[in-house]
Amino acid sequence: MTVTDQPRTAQIPDRPPRQSRAGRVWALLRNTWRGLTSMRTALVLLFLLALAAVPGALLPQRDLNEQKVALYLANRPTLGPWMDRFQLFDVFSSFWFTAIYVLLFISLVGCILPRSLDHYRALRTPPVRAPRNLARLPYHYSSTVAQSPTAVMERTRAQLRGWRAEIRTGPRDGELALSAEKGYTRELGNLVFHLALVGLLVAIALGKLFGYEGHVIVLANNGPGFCTTSPAAFDSFRAGNVNDGTGMTPICVRVQRFEADYLSNGQAEMFTADITYQAGEDLRTNTWQPTRIQVNHPLRVGGDRIYLQGHGYAPTFTVTFPDGRTRTETVQWRPDDAMTFLSSGVLRIDPPGGMYPTDEERRRNQIAIEGLFAPTARFHGSLLTSAFPEMNDPAVAVDIYRGDTGLDTGKPQSLFALDPEQIRQGRLTKEDRVNLRPGESTTLPNGTTVTFDGAQEFVNLQVSHDPAQQWVLVSSVLMMAGLLVSLLVKRRRIWVRVHLATDPAGTVGQRRTVVEMGGLARTDHAGWGGEFDRLRVRLFDDPTDAKAVVPQGADTTAPHASETTATGE
């Protein structure tokens, strides 16, 4: 007999209904939002923000020093343009840095708001009920006392000041259970830290958008001074992303006197400048207000801050041309040695108008002076060095050139060096190399005389405007306070249950009450065991008949075996 298998109909499970396109888009957006607003994503973005700031510290930035950026690009003709395309010379205003910044801000806000709502609900929620078996908790204590359950509970509740506590009745006759929690400030400190971090990000962003910063070199000892009327008044100027440099607070400053204090080894100890300034009503009345500024002690006026950043020396030269007319120039030179202030620089002088019949001849007779300045000169043969940064015995070692200095070309000229291309092409010819002290001079072959008149001190002033600076300080202080609170405060819970004691016959005693106490730390807290013991002693100072939980393997013959012993969580 042949048995043929009958084909069985396969049971195909019902497919879930196909989601609509709008539903899939909504699911994608929801999952993306959940991923973006997770704390893990916020930490990753914070790390990426710190990593993205590294190129801004290693590479020259266009808003700080455009000349260094141009030199960097000129030295790297292949790699430089590609780096510029990725905005590596404008890191903090680049699209990728801004994207990380904005995503971090959104992630933090998305993390903090739900947590703030949860914390608010937790503050309004009563403490959880006491567990059925308190002996299973990591910290446990039991005893009997000669008081009624109501009296024990009232005394316990009075001792728990600062704890969120609630008393509930139990199933047994006369049973009361107290639930108490403490340490909600920990989560509050955590929220304050993250909210202050968001505030710090907002304040920094506002400062970058609406602030500005300019540097200017001003001659000391009643020099001409400057006024913050436009970015052109500064040697370098950085405007905010939405600030074009107009609308600045008008301030005029003159440096009356500058004083530098040095240690015996030449290290600068303090810079002090006595200045006069005009702002607000003083500009209309032409009144000058005297004040003193020092390093890290700026002048604050009209929402701006004027910092004294440094100083240097500006040699003065007088050029007497063959027809007897003179030109005197004072130009700051760059300190190359911070300990001795040996400075280098260049000075370009154009002949007086009408001295030569054609512009071509006039350009061939321009004078350029390039060399070193020592405030306290020391000569090794003809080699000039500086022995001390204070101007005790000034001298210069200069090369004097005659020819086309490039003043008429329209190309930017360095304040501290001649264009080597002008010398290589023969447009500038070296006429003399000489060491000069104040009052000494040298005469060139065409009859032009160059005299070194001495030097003046100059100061470097920085004018800064940051409308959110105070909020940066407030946010930073709140961040530190919130972080300390979140690290020092710990969440912990205790439960106390009391009920009337029963004798072996099963009758309820009238004068004895069973007390049980259990504790649990919400987070790892090494000192919670000791705190639990101290709390138990304060609540129940009668150790009679105390029955402590002894961890497995403990020495029960020890003198303190009857005291409460806490096992780790």
Side-chain angles (χ1 to χ4, degrees):
M1 182 176 178
T2 304
V3 178
T4 57
D5 295 333
Q6 298 293 329
R8 286 188 265 176
T9 304
Q11 299 256 346
I12 301 176
D14 294 335
R15 293 182 179 179
R18 191 172 183 180
Q19 202 171 19
S20 64
R21 179 175 297 179
R24 291 196 300 270
V25 171
W26 170 249
L28 177 62
L29 293 176
R30 182 184 60 223
N31 295 333
T32 302
W33 174 255
R34 289 176 178 175
L36 178 61
T37 56
S38 67
M39 186 55 66
R40 179 181 300 177
T41 303
L43 292 175
V44 171
L45 289 172
L46 189 61
F47 172 76
L48 288 178
L49 188 70
L51 190 64
V54 172
L58 299 179
L59 298 174
Q61 297 298 296
R62 189 168 277 110
D63 59 348
L64 297 178
N65 195 324
E66 192 168 358
Q67 291 183 351
K68 281 189 176 181
V69 174
L71 182 62
Y72 193 94
L73 291 172
N75 293 334
R76 296 163 180 82
T78 303
L79 182 61
W82 282 100
M83 297 172 66
D84 200 14
R85 286 192 185 99
F86 287 100
Q87 298 182 295
L88 293 180
F89 305 110
D90 302 279
V91 168
F92 302 107
S93 59
S94 63
F95 70 92
W96 47 271
F97 190 88
T98 304
I100 297 174
Y101 200 93
V102 172
L103 287 175
L104 176 60
F105 179 81
I106 295 173
S107 180
L108 286 174
V109 172
C111 291
I112 294 170
L113 290 181
R115 288 181 59 181
S116 301
L117 294 176
D118 291 341
H119 184 62
Y120 174 75
R121 296 190 190 100
L123 291 175
R124 297 176 60 87
T125 302
V128 299
R129 291 181 175 272
R132 182 176 301 178
N133 190 351
L134 293 179
R136 292 183 177 180
L137 295 178
Y139 305 99
H140 173 247
Y141 164 79
S142 63
S143 177
T144 58
V145 295
Q147 292 179 342
S148 66
T150 303
V152 173
M153 192 58 68
E154 289 178 354
R155 182 176 179 274
T156 301
R157 181 66 183 88
Q159 290 291 329
L160 292 176
R161 294 187 181 91
W163 291 70
R164 294 180 64 246
E166 183 164 326
I167 300 175
R168 300 180 177 93
T169 58
R172 286 176 286 194
D173 185 22
E175 179 179 329
L176 295 174
L178 179 141
S179 302
E181 293 186 6
K182 196 173 185 180
Y184 281 86
T185 314
R186 173 187 173 87
E187 179 64 14
L188 179 61
N190 203 340
L191 292 173
V192 168
F193 170 79
H194 287 90
L195 286 171
L197 178 58
V198 173
L200 181 65
L201 293 175
V202 173
I204 293 176
L206 290 176
K208 292 293 183 182
L209 289 174
F210 299 100
Y212 55 81
E213 181 180 284
H215 295 80
V216 60
I217 290 177
V218 181
L219 292 178
N221 302 320
N222 295 316
F226 79 103
C227 294
T228 60
T229 53
S230 73
F234 297 89
D235 297 314
S236 63
F237 187 81
R238 180 187 60 80
N241 294 343
V242 296
N243 192 337
D244 59 358
T246 60
M248 292 187 294
T249 304
I251 305 172
C252 293
V253 177
R254 290 177 179 171
V255 180
Q256 304 296 330
R257 188 179 68 88
F258 174 80
E259 181 180 351
D261 299 326
Y262 301 99
L263 300 177
S264 58
N265 63 351
Q267 181 179 351
E269 187 176 17
M270 178 56 69
F271 298 150
T272 304
D274 293 325
I275 68 173
T276 56
Y277 69 95
Q278 292 179 333
E281 188 64 27
D282 298 334
L283 293 169
R284 287 185 285 272
T285 61
N286 196 26
T287 303
W288 291 88
Q289 303 290 340
T291 188
R292 171 174 288 189
I293 60 176
Q294 293 179 318
V295 177
N296 296 327
H297 295 280
L299 168 65
R300 302 176 185 272
V301 56
D304 288 7
R305 304 177 308 281
I306 301 177
Y307 292 92
L308 174 62
Q309 287 198 313
H311 81 110
Y313 296 98
T316 301
F317 291 89
T318 297
V319 177
T320 304
F321 290 91
D323 65 350
R325 285 186 286 183
T326 62
R327 283 284 181 88
T328 300
E329 295 285 347
T330 302
V331 177
Q332 67 271 15
W333 284 13
R334 176 181 57 201
D336 295 326
D337 189 340
M339 296 299 292
T340 64
F341 269 69
L342 182 67
S343 306
S344 63
V346 66
L347 186 144
R348 302 173 180 85
I349 297 179
D350 201 27
M355 182 175 175
Y356 296 98
T358 64
D359 288 341
E360 183 66 26
E361 189 175 357
R362 177 184 58 81
R363 283 194 295 269
R364 288 199 303 265
N365 287 277
Q366 292 173 342
I367 301 297
I369 304 171
E370 183 181 39
L372 299 174
F373 169 80
T376 301
R378 176 181 293 174
F379 287 96
H380 300 278
S382 60
L383 181 64
L384 174 66
T385 61
S386 180
F388 199 72
E390 194 171 4
M391 193 163 57
N392 299 322
D393 184 19
V396 293
V398 294
D399 292 333
I400 303 175
Y401 295 84
R402 186 168 64 91
D404 187 358
T405 61
L407 289 175
D408 298 337
T409 61
K411 293 172 55 179
Q413 298 286 329
S414 171
L415 284 173
F416 310 113
L418 291 173
D419 186 357
E421 215 35 50
Q422 297 287 106
I423 300 174
R424 189 184 66 81
Q425 294 176 4
R427 298 182 182 180
L428 277 176
T429 304
K430 185 186 295 186
E431 299 280 328
D432 198 1
R433 168 174 284 187
V434 64
N435 297 331
L436 299 174
R437 293 184 182 273
E440 297 180 346
S441 61
T442 184
T443 302
L444 304 183
N446 70 337
T448 301
T449 301
V450 177
T451 304
F452 173 52
D453 298 323
Q456 298 185 41
E457 286 187 293
F458 70 82
V459 297
N460 183 15
L461 299 180
Q462 174 183 305
V463 180
S464 298
H465 178 76
D466 188 350
Q469 186 189 39
Q470 63 272 22
W471 296 111
V472 172
L473 176 62
V474 171
S475 299
S476 301
V477 172
L478 288 177
M479 281 180 61
M480 293 301 300
L483 183 62
L484 288 175
V485 169
S486 65
L487 292 176
L488 297 178
V489 176
K490 304 297 180 181
R491 287 283 300 274
R492 57 263 197 211
R493 290 173 174 174
I494 63 169
W495 294 274
V496 177
R497 180 182 288 122
V498 296
H499 59 87
L500 294 175
T502 57
D503 57 21
T507 60
V508 178
Q510 299 298 320
R511 301 181 58 185
R512 307 293 293 179
T513 297
V514 175
V515 176
E516 286 186 281
M517 177 178 172
L520 178 67
R522 292 288 302 276
T523 55
D524 186 20
H525 187 10
W528 169 234
E531 183 181 355
F532 181 83
D533 289 341
R534 292 190 296 271
L535 188 61
R536 185 262 305 169
V537 171
R538 191 171 83 239
L539 296 178
F540 314 109
D541 55 359
D542 184 9
T544 305
D545 297 332
K547 298 177 182 179
V549 173
V550 181
Q552 185 177 3
D555 184 6
T556 56
T557 62
H560 298 286
S562 61
E563 296 181 1
T564 301
T565 305
T567 60
E569 285 191 58

